[in-house]
């Protein structure tokens, strides 16, 4: 009981800690795989958009918190009030104008076609019936869908580029400046000169916040007139155009040399391995607390349900538990995670780690509940009868006779559940939490190399699972000895 209350207290503290004061803070959302507009650089998100927003906010007396998420969630985040401003190289379109308000445009852009150097595709006309990659939810996506044919939609632009390099696509349609950066970093690629369309970028604000829109516009126009805007854009274009950013891997090297190079680029260069280290810590943190939350929920639900089964009491609680089990086990955990983040916690600014802990904890609780209930049911009926005839109450017999035996029986199944949970947290990237898997994704988006980052991520999960299984084995042996 003491342990439980300590844990509850910790969770509560974490929660309040998560709801920071949002008074003088602007939350900006973006998709940071879009250089030079926004990209992850070391610990922070850098680029034209963050720079402009930070400068404007400084003048308005706000601090800025930048959140990274997939592009198809960026506008929704502003619309739902989760974020104050979306700055993500967003093209102004009529359709989007219905959902959010746009500031005055700050830059003109184009949609360009990237192909391999030796590609037979020479112009847009050659794109018909070809495998075209786009970033999901972008104007490139809608252009191709409407004018050329069904594209292959990737969550992140660099993944589409990596697929092109790997020969899985014939072309990628993407905004001009990022296209130039991707091509300059990958010698095997080239750009077709003629743009597909022209467009304008602007920042997006909620329709409920005309005041903020006005303030931003005033500052933005000032920056435009003073030339400040132009110099920011120029600066970021320059620092991103240095080619060989990731030390392109040349062809006339032995296999081992190439692996060594790739190791350098993917992990050593710019301390990229830190994405894995930090991601790993987040993954462990989320898993650990979710396991605890799952046990608390699962245990409670299992006891309520068994009690209802055996004594016919607690009818209403039993029904609630059944609904919980049906809903949680009947829907995918990613969807639950996103509902909790984007719907339930939509207006409060909570820490993402906490959201993930809550989501995975609630999810795991359902499975743990059934595992424990199975364990309780497996204990011979006579045990409870014996307890009761010795004068113990239902709860006492449960506590000192049934549950200890049940626990031993369910240990392997519980261990299994925790292993599953650890790996399931890999979908945390959907709410832009930088867990281990996402850490690998960030590296991939910078190096366009799939092999080593993915293998490294896989090996780390594997190592943890092996360690977990080993510890569970020891625990099982201990319990057997105590019999
Ligand atoms: N300009 C395009 C659009 O608005 C693509 C923007 C993608 N932005 C990003 N940060 N990945 O649809």
């Amino acid at each position: 009981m003491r342990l439980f209350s300590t844990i509850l207290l910790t969770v509560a503290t974490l929660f309040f800690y998560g709801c920071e004061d949002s008074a003088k803070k602007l939350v900006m959302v973006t998709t940071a795989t879009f250089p030079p507009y926004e990209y992850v650089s070391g610990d922070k998100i850098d680029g034209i958009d963050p720079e402009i927003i930070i400068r404007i906010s400084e003048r308005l007396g706000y601090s800025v918190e930048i959140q990274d998420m997939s592009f198809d969630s960026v506008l929704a985040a502003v619309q739902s009030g989760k974020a104050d401003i979306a700055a993500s190289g967003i093209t102004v379109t009529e359709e989007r104008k219905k959902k959010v308000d746009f500031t005055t445009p700050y830059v003109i852009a184009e949609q360009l076609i990237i192909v391999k150097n030796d590609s037979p595709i020479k112009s847009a006309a050659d794109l018909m019936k070809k495998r075209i990659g786009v970033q999901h939810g972008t104007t490139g996506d809608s252009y191709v869908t409407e004018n050329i044919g069904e594209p292959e939609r990737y969550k992140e632009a660099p993944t589409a580029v990596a697929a092109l390099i790997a020969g899985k696509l014939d072309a990628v349609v993407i905004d001009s400046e990022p296209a130039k950066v991707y091509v300059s970093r990958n010698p095997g690629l080239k750009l077709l000169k003629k743009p597909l369309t022209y467009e304008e970028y602007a920042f997006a604000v909620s329709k409920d916040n005309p005041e903020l829109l006005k303030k931003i516009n005033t500052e933005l126009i000032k920056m435009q007139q003073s030339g400040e805007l132009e110099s920011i854009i120029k600066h970021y274009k320059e620092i991103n155009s240095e080619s060989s950013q990731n030390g392109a891997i040349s062809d006339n090297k032995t296999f081992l040399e190439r692996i060594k190079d790739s190791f350098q680029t993917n992990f050593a260069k710019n301390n990229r391995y830190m994405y894995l280290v930090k991601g790993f810590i987040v993954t462990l943190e989320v898993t650990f607390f979710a396991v605890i939350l799952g046990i608390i929920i699962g245990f409670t639900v299992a006891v309520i349900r068994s009690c209802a089964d055996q004594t016919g009491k607690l009818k209403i609680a039993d029904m609630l538990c059944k609904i919980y089990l049906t809903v949680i086990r009947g829907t995918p955990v990613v969807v639950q995670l996103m509902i909790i983040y984007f719907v339930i916690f939509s207006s409060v600014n909570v820490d993402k780690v906490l959201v993930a802990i809550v989501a995975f904890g609630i999810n795991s609780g359902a499975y743990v509940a059934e595992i424990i209930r199975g364990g309780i049911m497996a204990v011979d009926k006579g045990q409870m009868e014996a307890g009761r005839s010795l004068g113990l109450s239902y709860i006492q017999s449960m506590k000192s006779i049934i549950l200890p035996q049940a626990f031993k029986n369910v240990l392997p199944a519980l261990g299994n559940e925790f292993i599953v949970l650890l790996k399931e947290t890999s979908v945390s990237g959907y709410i832009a939490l930088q867990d281990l898997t996402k850490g690998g994704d960030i590296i991939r988006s910078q190096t366009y190399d799939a092999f080593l980052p993915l293998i490294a991520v896989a090996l780390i999960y594997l190592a943890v699972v092996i360690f977990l299984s080993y510890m569970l084995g020891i625990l099982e042996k201990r319990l057997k000895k105590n019999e």
Side-chain angles (χ1 to χ4, degrees):
M1 225 44 227
R2 271 274 284 289
L3 179 71
F4 279 1
S5 45
T6 323
I7 291 163
L8 275 181
L9 213 73
T10 323
V11 173
T13 327
L14 255 161
F15 182 83
F16 289 115
Y17 171 76
C19 308
E20 296 156 45
D21 169 33
S22 64
K24 269 299 191 184
K25 190 169 79 184
L26 277 189
V27 177
M28 164 188 147
V29 280
T30 193
T31 310
T33 45
F34 206 62
Y37 290 99
E38 43 264 333
Y39 49 92
V40 178
S41 163
D43 253 351
K44 72 188 242 276
I45 297 176
D46 209 355
I48 296 172
D49 289 332
E51 182 75 40
I52 299 176
I53 297 302
I54 287 171
R55 291 204 195 183
I56 290 180
S57 309
E58 261 168 19
R59 279 167 222 184
L60 298 174
Y62 292 113
S63 64
V64 183
E65 182 194 315
I66 303 180
Q67 289 183 8
D68 189 12
M69 54 177 67
S70 68
F71 188 71
D72 46 7
S73 306
V74 159
L75 288 181
V78 167
Q79 205 182 3
S80 69
K82 224 186 154 51
D84 301 300
I85 182 159
S88 194
I90 304 169
T91 306
V92 182
T93 69
E94 286 310 315
E95 209 170 315
R96 290 174 181 170
K97 272 192 200 162
K98 288 182 204 151
K99 292 197 225 158
V100 291
D101 276 344
F102 281 107
T103 62
T104 48
Y106 59 97
V107 80
I108 294 177
E110 303 156 349
Q111 291 294 322
L112 292 181
I113 304 167
I114 311 180
V115 292
K116 279 197 174 181
N117 279 334
D118 52 4
S119 169
I121 300 173
K122 301 276 177 270
S123 74
D126 304 329
L127 285 179
M128 289 297 165
K129 298 243 148 62
K130 290 279 162 28
R131 299 168 300 173
I132 308 169
V134 296
Q135 186 184 6
H136 183 209
T138 61
T139 45
D141 180 358
S142 41
Y143 183 88
V144 174
T145 309
E146 281 157 31
N147 300 288
I148 303 173
E150 217 34 36
E152 291 190 17
R153 302 183 176 89
Y154 291 83
K155 267 217 166 298
E156 311 282 354
T159 323
V161 175
L164 177 65
I165 296 172
K168 304 221 175 303
L169 292 173
D170 302 310
V172 167
V173 169
I174 199 94
D175 301 46
S176 38
E177 288 312 319
K180 286 177 198 161
V181 176
Y182 299 144
V183 169
S184 77
R185 289 179 189 173
N186 295 286
L189 302 179
K190 69 175 181 193
L191 276 174
L192 300 187
K193 286 216 181 62
K194 197 156 173 291
L196 286 169
T197 54
Y198 293 87
E199 36 193 54
E200 284 179 330
Y201 291 173
F203 304 119
V205 202
S206 157
K207 284 204 179 293
D208 301 329
N209 207 346
E211 252 155 67
L212 181 66
L213 182 73
K214 221 162 96 197
K215 284 192 209 160
I216 293 176
N217 266 337
T218 319
E219 295 306 322
L220 194 58
I221 291 168
K222 275 192 221 155
M223 285 173 84
Q224 238 153 7
Q225 285 166 348
S226 67
E228 186 179 353
L229 194 72
E230 212 185 290
S231 71
I232 294 177
I233 295 176
K234 201 170 141 235
H235 169 74
Y236 281 98
K237 279 189 191 169
E238 262 166 30
I239 59 172
N240 278 283
S241 70
E242 300 151 21
S243 55
S244 78
Q245 270 249 359
N246 63 54
I249 298 155
S250 96
D251 283 337
N252 44 22
K253 288 193 172 163
T254 68
F255 179 72
L256 266 183
E257 276 172 334
R258 255 187 273 172
I259 291 276
K260 211 181 126 217
D261 276 2
S262 171
F263 205 87
Q264 267 285 326
T265 333
N266 283 300
F267 305 129
K269 189 143 187 243
N270 300 336
N271 286 337
R272 290 201 169 114
Y273 71 94
M274 281 309 287
Y275 292 120
L276 295 184
V277 174
K278 286 191 184 148
F280 180 56
I281 294 172
V282 171
T283 293
L284 287 187
E285 201 180 349
V286 170
T287 310
F288 179 76
F289 287 106
V291 162
I292 291 176
L293 185 59
I295 292 179
I296 298 175
I297 297 178
F299 184 78
T300 314
V301 170
V303 170
I304 292 177
R305 293 213 51 208
S306 317
C307 177
D309 255 9
Q310 291 164 351
T311 66
K313 288 186 203 149
L314 299 176
K315 276 269 169 326
I316 297 177
D318 184 45
M319 210 180 62
L320 290 177
C321 290
K322 276 187 189 149
I323 296 176
Y324 160 74
L325 291 175
T326 312
V327 172
I328 295 298
R329 293 195 303 170
T331 52
V333 66
V334 214
V335 178
Q336 292 164 13
L337 176 70
M338 289 201 285
I339 290 179
I340 291 185
Y341 184 62
F342 291 108
V343 183
I344 298 179
F345 282 123
S346 83
S347 52
V348 275
N349 186 20
V350 284
D351 190 54
K352 280 193 205 122
V353 173
L354 183 66
V355 173
I357 291 172
V358 171
F360 291 112
I362 292 179
N363 180 274
S364 176
Y367 297 94
V368 171
E370 289 299 88
I371 293 173
I372 296 185
R373 197 169 67 93
I376 295 175
M377 284 186 345
V379 178
D380 190 73
K381 257 215 196 105
Q383 300 274 330
M384 174 61 90
E385 281 155 18
R388 299 304 295 269
S389 64
L390 280 176
L392 297 179
S393 70
Y394 178 81
I395 297 180
Q396 281 170 332
S397 343
M398 201 58 167
K399 219 168 86 181
S400 44
I401 302 177
I402 310 292
L403 287 178
Q405 297 183 54
F407 180 68
K408 217 179 311 170
N409 292 340
V410 299
L411 201 59
L414 269 187
N416 196 31
E417 164 60 21
F418 301 148
I419 289 173
V420 171
L421 182 64
L422 168 79
K423 289 176 298 174
E424 252 172 13
T425 60
S426 62
V427 298
S428 299
Y430 274 84
I431 60 166
L433 183 62
Q434 289 195 11
D435 71 322
L436 177 57
T437 304
K438 178 85 181 180
D441 288 348
I442 295 176
I443 298 180
R444 279 195 298 137
S445 78
Q446 294 181 357
T447 62
Y448 310 90
D449 187 2
F451 184 71
L452 273 188
L454 287 175
I455 296 292
V457 167
L459 285 178
I460 299 175
Y461 280 110
L462 185 63
V464 180
V465 171
I466 291 175
F467 176 72
L468 263 179
S469 315
Y470 174 73
M471 295 305 280
L472 280 165
I474 292 185
L475 188 61
E476 249 175 75
K477 256 187 228 139
R478 282 255 173 91
L479 287 178
K480 221 175 247 149
K481 259 198 217 137
N482 286 349
E483 229 152 51

